[in-house]
Amino acid sequence: MNGTLQPEGLQRFHRRNRAYYEDLDRLHQLLVAPGLRVLEIGCGLGDLLAATHPGHGVGIERDPVIAAAAQAAHPNLRIVCAEAATLDPEVIGESAPFDVILLANTLNTLEDVQGVLERLAAFCHDRTRLVVSLHNWLWQPLLKAAEGVGLRQPQPPESWLTPRDVQNLLDLAGWEVLKQGHRCLLPRRIPLLTPLANRWLSQLPLLEQFGLTHWLVARPATPAQRRPSVSVVIPARNEAGNIAAAIDRMPLLGSATEVLFVEGHSSDATWAEIERVCGSYSGPLQLRALRQSGRGKADAVWLGFDQAEGEVLMILDADLTVRPEDLPRFYKALAEGRGEFVNGCRLVYPRTSAAMPPLNTAANRFFAAAFSWLLRQRLKDTLCGTKVIWKADYERLKAGRAYFGDFDPFGDFDLLFGAAKLNLKIVEVPVRYQERSYGSSNIAHVKEGLILARMCLYAAQKLRFTP
């Protein structure tokens, strides 16, 4: 909200605090993919909305003069002069729901925060994301002092909500918080020091809590339940002894269950066994056999996902150390809206040292802690091969893969990082991890551990220490 300032006054304050507003733009560009339907409540001059590069952008601004200036500055956007407290799709002339709703530096000045948050349901579908940013309440004395000496634009009465206040209001209004954070330790431009503080120091534990900008991403708390079809992709290299068992033990999932074997340059009879099993099968499953021309598990998974016809995509490793009988739990978590990306977790129930040696367990726990920090969502086991995602979300992830690049030979982390970038809710399903009954592991532990460490450092630059 912008008080009684005219457009020239707002522009003057934006120039004076350019470092802060540029950081706010970068944050929203990280959280909002380009080309979406985006609605911003309290859009001011429309610069932040324009910075997200929406396919269709609509801004709501209460001041008619500011709204007219925003429309003139950004003719590709729709700027509507309206009060947040009386928002309605008919009032703003938008019948279709939005993919993203922005509330940037607006929440603190609303007279009825819960009422506005509840009204937003009329603009949502079950996959809409609400991105909220507001000033950290710890900065109240400094910001009020800056306002008093003319360094900050005049504000109406502010609520100065704490993180717990915001989460409680979102919960009451039917929103579920997916992730949150702070950034921007230094809102004024000081050569060398400002980039250091805002890109690097602001993301360190403890220091992060003092960032000026507190942000959250939330989703509707009651997404629609469905009974979708499923495709189970089974990458298989040197797993001839497990192919028949995978089908014998495969449960029926959803409205239809497709199983795609993807064989990758085996030195045993894996491909011949896949052909035999698929050719002789006469049950309710739909079986398909594919051979990859590339190498590595990631290449096999992408081939299977691209060929899959189900609405839900699952990965099941052919070693069957994660039991096929556990897949209904993954399906239920996704179909009932408990999560939008479901990851297996092998570290809850007891397991033998043969199934997972102590050194592997320690490495898994280390990478889980690192990834939980990177993704801002709790993960206990990042290395479990069983992962489940909606086909539509995978297509969005694939379209945005250039953001991370072709860096993952396994496929697991491409999916995890992509899910985090799409602001999907990640949940974990505990599984009873089994020792393999046929063959030996294809994993080179030391080599692949170093690859994982390098991927963590790379992802940190893309998800945490963003320029």
Side-chain angles (χ1 to χ4, degrees):
M1 298 306 218
N2 306 302
T4 59
L5 280 179
Q6 296 301 300
E8 297 78 11
L10 275 181
Q11 292 168 349
R12 183 172 63 254
F13 279 107
H14 281 211
R15 288 193 299 270
R16 185 173 295 168
N17 299 287
R18 186 168 69 252
Y20 165 73
Y21 286 104
E22 289 176 351
D23 190 75
L24 199 63
D25 286 349
R26 287 192 293 269
L27 168 65
H28 285 78
Q29 288 165 353
L30 176 66
L31 297 175
V32 181
L36 301 178
R37 289 179 54 86
V38 181
L39 171 68
E40 183 180 5
I41 312 299
C43 69
L45 294 172
D47 297 336
L48 177 64
L49 178 59
T52 65
H53 305 293
H56 178 65
V58 178
I60 307 299
E61 172 54 47
R62 66 182 299 184
D63 188 308
V65 177
I66 300 295
Q71 187 65 80
H74 303 287
N76 57 315
L77 305 176
R78 276 197 68 231
I79 307 298
V80 179
C81 184
E83 290 281 352
T86 58
L87 277 183
D88 182 271
E90 292 186 5
V91 171
I92 69 171
E94 293 284 340
S95 58
F98 289 88
D99 302 311
V100 180
I101 300 175
L102 307 180
L103 279 167
N105 291 336
T106 300
L107 220 59
N108 278 341
T109 58
L110 293 175
E111 294 181 0
D112 181 8
V113 176
Q114 183 178 340
V116 171
L117 293 175
E118 289 172 346
R119 282 183 171 275
L120 297 182
F123 300 92
C124 297
H125 50 69
D126 63 335
R127 311 308 300 282
T128 296
R129 291 299 179 264
L130 174 63
V131 179
V132 177
S133 59
L134 65 160
H135 291 142
N136 187 339
W137 68 280
L138 296 174
W139 280 68
Q140 180 181 8
L142 285 174
L143 292 176
K144 282 300 182 184
E147 187 177 343
V149 298
L151 295 178
R152 181 190 182 213
Q153 65 192 56
Q155 299 291 312
E158 296 178 89
S159 301
W160 292 103
L161 303 168
T162 68
R164 189 178 296 275
D165 291 332
V166 179
Q167 290 185 68
N168 182 57
L169 285 163
L170 287 167
D171 186 50
L172 290 170
W175 293 92
E176 178 184 14
V177 175
L178 300 178
K179 58 185 179 182
Q180 59 182 309
H182 294 79
R183 58 185 288 154
C184 192
L185 285 173
L186 191 56
R188 299 304 296 271
R189 184 178 298 280
I190 301 175
L192 300 181
L193 188 57
T194 296
L196 173 66
N198 290 346
R199 181 178 183 184
W200 303 101
L201 300 181
S202 71
Q203 297 306 296
L204 298 179
L206 298 181
L207 282 179
E208 182 184 9
Q209 303 304 313
F210 295 96
L212 171 57
T213 301
H214 173 218
W215 61 268
L216 308 93
V217 178
R219 69 166 187 159
T222 54
Q225 296 187 16
R226 299 155 61 183
R227 191 170 179 268
S229 59
V230 177
S231 292
V232 182
V233 174
I234 305 180
R237 182 165 71 91
N238 298 328
E239 300 285 1
N242 291 322
I243 302 304
I247 297 305
D248 291 340
R249 297 168 58 186
M250 183 66 64
L252 294 176
L253 301 163
S255 59
T257 307
E258 174 187 51
V259 179
L260 298 95
F261 288 105
V262 184
E263 191 276 333
H265 311 286
S266 299
S267 58
D268 68 357
T270 298
W271 177 247
E273 180 65 2
I274 289 173
E275 288 189 308
R276 184 193 71 78
V277 168
C278 291
S280 62
Y281 181 76
S282 59
L285 300 172
Q286 303 166 24
L287 305 189
R288 296 170 63 188
L290 304 171
R291 300 191 86 173
Q292 64 181 119
S293 57
R295 291 188 174 273
K297 180 181 175 182
D299 180 78
V301 169
W302 305 157
L303 174 60
F305 278 11
D306 288 341
Q307 294 292 318
E309 297 179 355
E311 298 170 85
V312 171
L313 304 177
M314 295 186 173
I315 305 171
L316 178 69
D317 286 343
D319 59 14
L320 304 186
T321 51
V322 172
R323 305 181 307 165
E325 293 86 352
D326 286 337
L327 293 181
R329 296 184 177 181
F330 290 79
Y331 174 83
K332 182 178 180 181
L334 198 76
E336 293 184 353
R338 310 299 181 189
E340 296 158 324
F341 182 92
V342 187
N343 189 64
C345 179
R346 304 163 297 171
L347 303 180
V348 172
Y349 298 121
R351 61 210 162 275
T352 66
S353 59
M356 185 181 295
L359 184 60
N360 290 36
T361 300
N364 284 331
R365 294 193 186 281
F366 169 79
F367 284 112
F371 276 68
S372 295
W373 178 76
L374 283 171
L375 306 184
R376 300 180 187 271
Q377 296 193 59
R378 181 184 177 277
L379 285 171
K380 192 178 179 69
D381 182 11
T382 59
L383 303 180
C384 181
T386 304
K387 292 176 168 58
V388 180
I389 188 173
W390 291 101
K391 177 76 179 272
D393 284 332
Y394 170 70
E395 294 296 341
R396 291 200 296 144
L397 184 154
K398 179 181 175 182
R401 189 169 281 156
Y403 183 78
F404 293 104
D406 184 12
F407 70 101
D408 178 11
F410 314 114
D412 302 273
F413 306 103
D414 179 279
L415 288 173
L416 281 169
F417 295 155
K421 185 68 171 64
L422 292 175
N423 298 315
L424 303 183
K425 183 182 180 181
I426 301 173
V427 297
E428 290 188 303
V429 170
V431 297
R432 292 192 176 275
Y433 193 56
Q434 311 290 309
E435 183 179 355
R436 65 161 54 237
S437 59
Y438 171 87
S440 58
S441 172
N442 293 314
I443 299 173
H445 296 287
V446 175
K447 177 183 177 182
E448 294 182 0
L450 293 174
I451 293 174
L452 293 175
R454 188 168 69 246
M455 287 194 295
C456 282
L457 293 174
Y458 179 76
Q461 298 180 56
K462 289 291 189 176
L463 293 173
R464 277 281 189 167
F465 303 112
T466 53

